[in-house]
Structures are given as structure tokens and as C-alpha cells.
Amino acid sequence: MINKIFSLEQIRVFKNLLRWTVIILPVSIVIGSMVAFFLWALNLSIHYRFEHPWLLYFLPFAGLLIHFSYKLYGKTSEKGNNLILDEIHTPGGGIPKRMGPLVLVSTVITHLFGGSAGREGTAVQIGGSIAHMFSKWFKLDTKETRMLLTAGVAAGFGAVFGTPLTGAIFALEVLTIGRIQYFAIFPCLIASLIGDLTVSAWQVHHTTYRIDTFDIPNYFETYFSLNILLLTKVVIASIAFGLSSLLFAQMAHRLKKIFLSLFRKTWIIPIIGGTIIIILTLVLGKPDYLSLGVDAEYPGAITIPSAFKEGGSDTWSWLWKTIYTSVTLSSGFKGGEVTPLFYIGATLGNTLSSLLNAPVGLFAALGFIAVFAGATNTPLACTIMGVELFGGEYLIYFAVACYTAYFFSGHAGIYSAQKIWARKG
Amino acid sequence: MINKIFSLEQIRVFKNLLRWTVIILPVSIVIGSMVAFFLWALNLSIHYRFEHPWLLYFLPFAGLLIHFSYKLYGKTSEKGNNLILDEIHTPGGGIPKRMGPLVLVSTVITHLFGGSAGREGTAVQIGGSIAHMFSKWFKLDTKETRMLLTAGVAAGFGAVFGTPLTGAIFALEVLTIGRIQYFAIFPCLIASLIGDLTVSAWQVHHTTYRIDTFDIPNYFETYFSLNILLLTKVVIASIAFGLSSLLFAQMAHRLKKIFLSLFRKTWIIPIIGGTIIIILTLVLGKPDYLSLGVDAEYPGAITIPSAFKEGGSDTWSWLWKTIYTSVTLSSGFKGGEVTPLFYIGATLGNTLSSLLNAPVGLFAALGFIAVFAGATNTPLACTIMGVELFGGEYLIYFAVACYTAYFFSGHAGIYSAQKIWARKG
């Protein structure tokens, strides 16, 4: 009986998992190392601009440089994250090897000259293109290539934010709106764990965020473990988070179209985009919305960490960051959308917390994950990210915020290659 | 442009969510109240037996009573959780209204006389049958009925363990091996939140567990945020957790078949089952493996909370609980498998922690969630349960444990009505 219970199935599963571990190991060490290098270079370039603020005036030329690099050497790299998603959905089109290095250098240049962008796009593209390279070397079949590519995305994402489980779930959840399949959960989990470990091994560290403790005033009875009034405020704020995801996705899509219809000579677009950023910064009189928004250029600057404190953000900071980032990315600069989405969410959360008389740290954290959840249609990954970044105490609020934002962000997220399995409601 | 961005879609989604909130509210308040009553009655019956241990000798007769209650009044209720899952997969067969009260009373009787069983089955059946009742009253169509039933399962599960997010994810994840669909995430989340709140409102409390803090000895470099040696131990232990899930599921299935083939008069089965439990308890000389296993019958008894401490469990406690519970449930007693699975996991974790020289609290917690994950094929819900019960600090170990156990538990979990979307590997 024991023999029949522990049948050959377990041995087959074991072999299969072992095989994937062996395949994933080198892939994710390479991805993790490249992401570590990227984070190091990015940090250097951001702080170099802090000391040399005049670099901003060269942003249009930096855009021109990136534009022509992609034009001349990029092949299909221009399609970015969507190329990776397309290749996972229907392998065959291929991903150019140069995609990784190209997006890495372009992102660093974007940030060196003050473009408002993120870094997840870069990490995902590094992950996807390296995984694709290995899938050729290992001569994997179509199904296995899909798994390895998905794992590459997980490794890149997990490594760049230091959130391994989020990376694994994100890679599976981002493919299709409305469901998650477990087909690649094991490779993804291994890949993002090793990716994250590799970054740590290179001694590259991530920003840590903290939600200040707060007393929940108890309007109802003391025996409620959940506070209904706070939950209601979270839902209201999260509808706003979802709508701001929608605004971001639409603004980026439409600006790109508008630029393309206005300028037939596409190299003019980055010059215009860079110039708009310069003008905006001169008009606003402060550089807060440039670049990543994590480290402060000067004491008192509005950053993601500052948004977790009262007074750490202006009322309209979220809107300015939306405009800055849409302009930057739709005019051909490189990076990603996620860190700007964190910024938009955290500052909007800050603003809403004073409107709703709610704890600022919690609402900044909710905005941080929920705006991202809405824009990428990955509510589960973002709920998990909440736990990985801020701890498990507020899990249920994280889930409510991410799913509410997801429902209100429409179906056209920032990744056009995402498929729709089921409408939202 | 603003008008076009915030199109009618958001208003439609809003209306839809509002409609579901209104539908869910009464359903989950009723479910939550019935679960609260169940938990109260269950607690009473368990402690009554503690004071009157001779009740155990009437276990065979209690089994007989349950057997004939189901035979005479049960209609299709005998199919238990599988009936609910079947009805969600293909609505139409119906769920008898009496299922809820019947399983509630039978479970309380099972525990009053010392049967080794759980409570999630009861909660899920209460949730499913009440939701089905409301779906008739509300005249919902097939698709909506599926959603409401799923939400009912979420409400029951979330309420019985005080883990709302786990309840919602469990209800969606348990339906099909290999994927999660979001079709009912909103009703599920609302339902399990309100179910949980209702239980709190009735002042019924849940057991709290605590993982003692431990120093992770750092065998590698200090800059690893994750400890590779500990992770390896977690993987080894989790393979054992997965195999023990498999053992449990197989033993329960096979014992049922053996009983049915041996006794053509099925009413003999509960008498035999009850007698085996009595004999086992006399042979072992202690009542630790009877009933739920959460509260201690005497100081020093082996319980789930005691397994979190060094020496709080015997080497083979997990195997005894597996045998006790398989015998109890396969001979017609009622309850559920989940709390016994928690017990098996926590005690196996305790045993493995001394074999592997690993932190006992952490490994008890990992076993707690991972054996359950393997037996029900719900690794994600169990990962989340880890956070809801033990906090977010060990999230990544929770995920690795649950998914590893899931991979090694085979495809025949404890719910035969579960569909397979994709093989595990």
C-alpha cells in the first residue's frame, strides 16, 4: 500500500523540480548580477545629477541619443516589456540579446539627465532577454521557453525591488487579466529567490519603508478586530487610486499617439519631451518630480519615503508625477513605470489621508501598492508586495486596496500585450 | 478627454460592486452568525468532554446517531464539501437547506464524544448551503449563483478561522488545481470580511498562535537577507509535509473503501470506527489525539499550540493524528479535515525541527500551513494564512513550504470534486 501511495508521480515531480532548479540557477544568477549592476549604476547616476543639476538641460539630447540607439541597434527592443509578454504568450518572435544592455544603459542615461522614470521595465527586460538567451543555449521547447521567460521576468522583478514572492506572483499574474495559472510557479519562485539573493550577495541594498504606528480610533465596539470606518476610508481612497492608475495608463498611451501624429520626424519627439520636462521644472521651481523619486535631492524634497510622513507631499504631487512620467516615457526615454507609480500612489495616499482624516503612513503604503496594482492589473502580487515591504499587520487593508483599485482601473493597463481572460465586472 | 478616460465602464463596475455588496451583506451576516454559534457550541462540547472523559465510550453510538440522521434526513448532504464544489462547477443539482444545521449538530456531537475531526468542512457547508438558499430567494442566474456559492464558502472559511483574506483566496483556489480565476474575488472578499466581522461581533474569539523569535545562525555571509541553509531545511521539511498530506488523503480515501467493502450493512461502520478510536486511546493511554486538538485537556497535553514549543509534541504524534482522523472521518463522523491537518503539520514540524536542528516555532508554523496546502491543493491561500495567523516576517518561507508541499502531495487531495486544470509537473 505504501508503495502505491507514494507512487512514481512524486519521483517524477522531484526530478522535474530538480531539473528546473539546475536550469534556473545560472539564469537567475546572471539576471541578479546584471540587476545589481544596474541598481548600482542607477544610484550613481541619480546622485551625480543631484550634484550637477545643470545636467537636466541636456535631457533633450539624451533623448535623441536614446532614440537613435534604438533606431540603429535596437531591432525589436523598442517594444520593451510588451515584447517579453508577447513572447511568453506566443513564443517564436524572439527577443534580441542586446535588449538587456541597451535598456540598462538607456535607463541610466534617462536618470542621469533627470527623466522621470522607473526601473522595473529595465529589470523585466534584462530578465526576459537573458532568459531567452539561455533558452536557446539549453535548446528548450516552446512550453519550456515560456516557463523560463516567465521565470526571467520573476527574477528581474524580485531582484530589482528585493521582493522575491512578489516577483514570482507578478510574473504569472501580469500575463493575463482575471486569472493566475501555476504553470511556472516553481521556476518563478526559485528564480526570484536566487535573483534577490544575488543582488544581496553583490551588497546592493533596497530602500526600506516604514508605516508609523497609529492608534485606530474605535468608533464602533471594541470587539471588532477590523475597523469598519477605516475600511470604508480605505475603499474610498482605493477607488481614487484605481482612477489615478487609469489616468496614468491613458495619459501615457494618448501622449504617445499625439506625439506620433504631430511629428512625422520621430527624432523630434524626445527633444520636445525633454524640453517639456525642463520647462515644467523651471515653472514649478523644484526638481522633486525628476528621476526616480526615492532619494531626496535636498532636505525636504518630496520623495516616496517623505510621503509616509505628514506634510511630506504637496496636494497635487501625484498629478505632477503623472504628467512628468507620461511625458518622459511617451517621448522615448527608458526605465519603467513602477517606481513612478509608487510615487504617485504614495503622494496621493498622503493627500487623501488628510482629506479623509486617516493614518498617513498606512494610506501612503496603500497608494504605493494600489496604484501599481491598478495600472498593471496585478492585485495579488501587489498585496504580497505590501507584506514584503511593509509587514503583514495590515494585510487585509492591502488586499482591499489593491483589488478595489484593480476594479476601477479599466482594462487597458500600461502593458498592451496583456491578455484579458475575464472582464472585471 | 477626461470624459473619455473615465468612461461609463467605471460606473458600471461601481454599480455591479454595489449590487454585490447588497446581495452579500445579509448572506454573510447569516453565515457568520451561524458559524459563531457553531464555534460557541463546539467549544462548549469539547470542554464538556474534558470534564466527562467517559463520554468517549459512547462514541460508537454517537456515530450510529449521525449515520441514521444523514440516512433519514440528509438527502444529498452526505456528500459534504464535494457537493458544494460540484454545485459551483455545474450548478443545478441543488444543495439541501438542511445541510447546514445537520452538519453543525453532527460536528458538535462528533466532538462531544471525542471523534478526531475539524471544523472547516462544517463551516464551508454552512456557508455553501446558506448561500444556495439566498440564491434561490434572490432568483440569481447560473453565473451569479456560482459567484454567491463561492462567496458563501469564503464567508464560512474566513469566519471559522478568523482569516478573511485566506477565506477569499481559498474559495477561489480550491475549485481547480493549477489556477485561480478572479471571477468572484470581490464577492468572496466582502463575504469573508463580513463573515469574520460577524463572528467578532458575537464575541467569539479565535486561538492565537505565536512563533517564538529565534536567532538564525548565519552560516554564509551576513549580507544575505535570506538564509540559504535554513531555506534548504525548509524545502526538505516541506517535501515531508507534502508526503504526509498525500498519506492523509490516501488513508482517508482507502479506509472508506475498505470499510464499505467489509460491511454491507453500513450502519456498522460508525460503530467499528468509534470502537477503533476507543481502543487506540486505551492503548496509547492518553486522550491527546481526540477531538480538535487546539485546547489542552490536561496540563502538558499535546495540542497545536504546544507543538510550537520544544518538547511540545511526540515523535509520532503526527502519524497518530493521521490515523485517528482518517478513522473518524471515513467511518461517517462529521467535522472537517483542516484543523487535524493543522495538528498533523504542526506536530510533524516539531519532530522535523529537532531532526534538522531548526527553529521549532517556525517549523511548526510551516507544517501547520503546508500539510493543509498539500491536502487541499491551495498553496496560495495557505501562504496567506501564514501571514494572517503568524505575521508577515517569514512570508517567503511560508510560500516555499506551501508550494513545495503542493508539488509533492499528488493530484488526489481530500476534495474529490476538485478539478485539475494543469498537472503539477
Side-chain angles (χ1 to χ4, degrees):
Chain A
M1 181 167 156
I2 292 292
N3 272 341
K4 273 174 87 182
I5 291 179
F6 300 118
S7 63
L8 288 172
E9 186 176 352
Q10 269 57 40
I11 297 176
R12 197 170 50 77
V13 168
F14 189 75
K15 272 191 190 160
N16 212 343
L17 296 188
L18 208 66
R19 174 163 177 271
W20 272 105
T21 308
V22 173
I23 291 176
I24 289 293
L25 206 69
V27 183
S28 34
I29 290 177
V30 173
I31 294 172
S33 302
M34 197 152 160
V35 168
F37 173 73
F38 165 59
L39 287 172
W40 172 81
L42 187 66
N43 189 52
L44 222 66
S45 78
I46 289 171
H47 286 269
Y48 191 82
R49 189 187 56 78
F50 285 176
E51 284 154 37
H52 308 86
W54 48 264
L55 281 169
L56 174 63
Y57 299 109
F58 293 89
L59 185 62
F61 306 102
L64 207 59
L65 181 67
I66 294 170
H67 178 84
F68 281 111
S69 311
Y70 271 84
K71 211 81 184 171
L72 296 174
Y73 308 109
K75 292 188 183 172
T76 52
S77 303
E78 182 69 42
K79 286 179 68 189
N81 287 6
N82 288 317
L83 184 67
I84 312 277
L85 294 188
D86 276 338
E87 188 69 17
I88 295 175
H89 284 306
T90 32
I95 297 171
K97 277 182 208 165
R98 57 191 68 179
M99 183 184 221
L102 198 56
V103 74
L104 193 158
V105 174
S106 319
T107 306
V108 172
I109 291 176
T110 298
H111 284 276
L112 181 62
F113 295 95
S116 168
R119 47 197 171 174
E120 114 293 342
T122 316
V124 164
Q125 291 168 45
I126 288 173
S129 59
I130 289 176
H132 190 265
M133 212 163 68
F134 275 91
S135 77
K136 296 269 168 203
W137 290 344
F138 291 153
K139 298 198 172 45
L140 300 183
D141 64 23
T142 306
K143 197 183 146 206
E144 292 172 328
T145 301
R146 289 185 67 205
M147 286 179 85
L148 193 63
L149 283 178
T150 315
V153 171
F157 195 98
V160 81
F161 295 120
T163 54
L165 187 56
T166 307
I169 303 279
F170 175 83
L172 291 169
E173 195 179 28
V174 74
L175 296 171
T176 312
I177 296 180
R179 73 168 179 198
I180 300 180
Q181 283 175 266
Y182 287 169
F183 76 101
I185 186 79
F186 184 79
C188 283
L189 203 52
I190 293 278
S192 62
L193 270 170
I194 298 174
D196 179 40
L197 281 171
T198 307
V199 170
S200 307
W202 286 107
Q203 307 232 35
V204 173
H205 300 292
H206 303 281
T207 317
T208 50
Y209 302 97
R210 238 186 101 254
I211 300 177
D212 282 346
T213 51
F214 54 88
D215 291 325
I216 302 184
N218 218 327
Y219 301 87
F220 292 83
E221 310 297 325
T222 47
Y223 46 72
F224 278 125
S225 57
L226 258 172
N227 185 297
I228 292 182
L229 185 70
L230 183 60
L231 195 65
T232 311
K233 288 178 182 178
V234 168
V235 170
I236 294 169
S238 304
I239 293 176
F241 294 144
L243 295 177
S244 89
S245 312
L246 179 66
L247 181 70
F248 180 91
Q250 292 288 337
M251 207 184 265
H253 284 316
R254 278 159 205 252
L255 260 180
K256 203 165 193 170
K257 275 195 195 160
I258 292 170
F259 279 142
L260 282 172
S261 68
L262 285 179
F263 307 103
R264 293 189 59 192
K265 293 198 171 97
T266 51
W267 57 265
I268 300 180
I269 298 174
I271 296 188
I272 300 289
T275 310
I276 296 176
I277 298 292
I278 296 171
I279 295 172
L280 283 175
T281 308
L282 292 175
V283 169
L284 288 174
K286 59 181 182 178
D288 299 30
Y289 309 123
L290 296 174
S291 193
L292 204 57
V294 174
D295 292 344
E297 183 160 349
Y298 60 93
I302 296 168
T303 61
I304 299 179
S306 83
F308 281 68
K309 307 278 176 193
E310 231 165 298
S313 157
D314 294 340
T315 310
W316 299 104
S317 293
W318 64 274
L319 186 59
W320 286 117
K321 190 67 178 177
T322 305
I323 295 168
Y324 266 71
T325 312
S326 314
V327 170
T328 301
L329 294 177
S330 60
S331 61
F333 292 90
K334 297 294 161 186
E337 292 90 349
V338 174
T339 310
L341 288 169
F342 291 163
Y343 191 106
I344 294 166
T347 51
L348 180 54
N350 184 298
T351 300
L352 292 173
S353 78
S354 41
L355 285 177
L356 295 167
N357 189 25
V360 58
L362 178 63
F363 274 56
L366 293 176
F368 185 112
I369 55 177
V371 172
F372 169 34
T376 57
N377 293 306
T378 59
L380 185 65
C382 294
T383 302
I384 304 255
M385 179 172 245
V387 177
E388 290 197 309
L389 292 180
F390 312 118
E393 204 179 338
Y394 306 112
L395 173 61
I396 193 71
Y397 297 112
F398 294 162
V400 169
C402 290
Y403 278 98
T404 306
Y406 164 79
F407 276 109
F408 284 91
S409 70
H411 290 86
I414 57 174
Y415 305 130
S416 56
Q418 203 168 42
K419 292 198 177 169
I420 300 178
W421 165 259
R423 312 272 321 162
K424 290 178 182 178
Chain B
M1 180 167 159
I2 291 293
N3 272 340
K4 272 172 89 181
I5 292 179
F6 299 120
S7 62
L8 289 172
E9 187 175 351
Q10 268 57 40
I11 296 175
R12 199 170 49 76
V13 168
F14 188 77
K15 272 191 190 159
N16 214 342
L17 297 187
L18 206 67
R19 175 164 176 270
W20 272 105
T21 308
V22 173
I23 292 176
I24 289 292
L25 206 70
V27 182
S28 35
I29 288 177
V30 173
I31 294 172
S33 300
M34 197 153 161
V35 168
F37 173 73
F38 165 59
L39 287 173
W40 172 80
L42 187 68
N43 188 51
L44 222 66
S45 79
I46 289 171
H47 286 269
Y48 191 83
R49 189 187 57 78
F50 284 177
E51 284 155 37
H52 307 87
W54 48 265
L55 280 169
L56 175 62
Y57 298 108
F58 294 88
L59 185 62
F61 306 103
L64 207 60
L65 182 67
I66 294 170
H67 178 84
F68 281 111
S69 311
Y70 270 84
K71 211 80 184 171
L72 297 174
Y73 309 108
K75 292 188 184 174
T76 52
S77 303
E78 183 68 46
K79 288 179 69 189
N81 287 6
N82 288 318
L83 183 67
I84 312 277
L85 294 189
D86 276 338
E87 188 68 18
I88 296 175
H89 284 307
T90 32
I95 297 171
K97 277 181 207 163
R98 56 192 69 179
M99 183 184 221
L102 198 58
V103 74
L104 192 158
V105 174
S106 319
T107 306
V108 172
I109 292 176
T110 297
H111 283 276
L112 181 63
F113 295 95
S116 170
R119 47 193 171 174
E120 113 293 343
T122 317
V124 164
Q125 290 167 45
I126 288 173
S129 60
I130 289 176
H132 190 264
M133 211 163 69
F134 275 91
S135 77
K136 295 270 168 203
W137 292 343
F138 291 154
K139 298 197 170 52
L140 300 184
D141 64 23
T142 306
K143 197 183 146 205
E144 291 171 329
T145 301
R146 290 185 66 206
M147 285 179 86
L148 192 63
L149 284 177
T150 315
V153 171
F157 194 99
V160 81
F161 294 120
T163 54
L165 187 56
T166 308
I169 304 280
F170 176 82
L172 291 169
E173 195 178 28
V174 76
L175 297 171
T176 313
I177 297 180
R179 73 168 177 198
I180 300 180
Q181 284 175 265
Y182 287 168
F183 74 102
I185 185 79
F186 183 79
C188 284
L189 203 52
I190 292 279
S192 63
L193 270 171
I194 297 174
D196 178 40
L197 281 171
T198 307
V199 170
S200 307
W202 286 108
Q203 306 234 34
V204 173
H205 299 292
H206 304 281
T207 318
T208 50
Y209 302 97
R210 237 185 101 256
I211 301 177
D212 282 345
T213 51
F214 55 87
D215 290 324
I216 303 184
N218 218 326
Y219 301 86
F220 291 82
E221 310 296 325
T222 48
Y223 47 74
F224 278 125
S225 57
L226 258 173
N227 186 294
I228 292 181
L229 185 70
L230 183 59
L231 195 64
T232 311
K233 290 178 182 179
V234 168
V235 170
I236 294 170
S238 305
I239 293 176
F241 294 143
L243 294 177
S244 89
S245 312
L246 180 64
L247 181 69
F248 180 92
Q250 291 288 336
M251 207 184 264
H253 284 316
R254 278 157 205 253
L255 261 180
K256 202 164 194 172
K257 276 194 193 161
I258 291 172
F259 279 142
L260 283 172
S261 68
L262 285 179
F263 308 103
R264 292 190 57 192
K265 293 199 171 95
T266 50
W267 57 266
I268 301 181
I269 298 175
I271 296 188
I272 301 288
T275 311
I276 296 176
I277 297 292
I278 295 171
I279 295 173
L280 283 175
T281 307
L282 292 175
V283 169
L284 288 175
K286 58 180 182 177
D288 299 30
Y289 308 123
L290 297 173
S291 193
L292 203 59
V294 174
D295 290 345
E297 183 160 349
Y298 59 94
I302 296 167
T303 60
I304 299 179
S306 84
F308 281 69
K309 306 277 176 194
E310 229 164 299
S313 157
D314 294 341
T315 310
W316 299 104
S317 294
W318 63 274
L319 187 57
W320 286 118
K321 189 68 180 177
T322 305
I323 295 167
Y324 266 71
T325 311
S326 315
V327 170
T328 302
L329 293 178
S330 61
S331 60
F333 292 90
K334 297 294 161 185
E337 292 90 350
V338 174
T339 309
L341 288 168
F342 291 163
Y343 191 105
I344 294 166
T347 51
L348 180 54
N350 183 299
T351 301
L352 292 172
S353 78
S354 42
L355 286 178
L356 295 167
N357 189 25
V360 59
L362 178 63
F363 273 55
L366 294 176
F368 184 113
I369 55 176
V371 173
F372 169 35
T376 56
N377 294 306
T378 57
L380 184 65
C382 294
T383 302
I384 302 247
M385 179 173 245
V387 177
E388 289 196 310
L389 292 180
F390 312 118
E393 206 179 337
Y394 305 113
L395 173 61
I396 192 70
Y397 298 112
F398 294 160
V400 169
C402 291
Y403 278 97
T404 306
Y406 164 80
F407 276 109
F408 282 91
S409 70
H411 290 85
I414 56 175
Y415 305 131
S416 57
Q418 202 166 44
K419 292 198 177 170
I420 300 178
W421 166 259
R423 311 280 309 168
K424 290 180 181 177

